[in-house]
């Protein structure tokens, strides 16, 4: 149900605000950053999640996501894995 809700939200943004930048991040015992879905995901786990300096460094290296007009299909693929 959550996957379908995210997919519907992407479709809505695609129709109403196609230049909006969207990034996908999932959380459980680790954090996976899919970004706009056009690049390889990055996973953070264990000590990486509690080291503020490491998190700031990693966050600064992540590319700015493309707009939903360009990334919707890639994000849909990531959502429905």
């Amino acid at each position: 149900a959550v996957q379908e809700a995210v997919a519907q939200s992407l479709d809505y943004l695609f129709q109403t605000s196609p230049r909006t930048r969207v990034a996908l991040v999932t959380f459980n015992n680790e954090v996976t950053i899919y970004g706009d879905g056009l690049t390889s995901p990055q996973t953070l786990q264990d000590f990486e999640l509690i080291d503020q300096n490491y998190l700031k460094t990693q966050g600064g290296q992540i590319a700015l996501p493309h707009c939903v007009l360009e990334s919707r299909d890639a994000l849909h693929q990531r959502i429905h894995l």
Side-chain angles (χ1 to χ4, degrees):
V2 173
Q3 288 171 312
E4 190 55 35
V6 172
Q8 287 179 10
S9 294
L10 282 174
D11 292 340
Y12 176 78
L13 286 172
F14 183 82
Q15 293 173 357
T16 61
S17 303
R19 294 289 175 199
T20 299
R21 295 179 188 272
V22 177
L24 177 65
V25 179
T26 60
F27 303 86
N28 54 25
N29 62 327
E30 59 189 24
V31 175
T32 303
I33 304 164
Y34 294 94
D36 57 17
L38 297 170
T39 59
S40 297
Q42 177 183 4
T43 301
L44 303 172
Q45 54 192 353
D46 302 326
F47 79 92
E48 298 169 327
L49 296 173
I50 58 173
D51 184 337
Q52 283 186 343
N53 292 327
Y54 182 80
L55 289 171
K56 286 179 185 178
T57 300
Q58 293 304 306
Q61 294 175 0
I62 295 173
L64 188 64
H66 289 85
C67 65
V68 72
L69 180 67
E70 299 168 346
S71 63
R72 180 183 67 159
D73 293 340
L75 287 168
H76 269 288
Q77 288 178 353
R78 298 288 186 182
I79 292 167
H80 293 296
L81 286 177

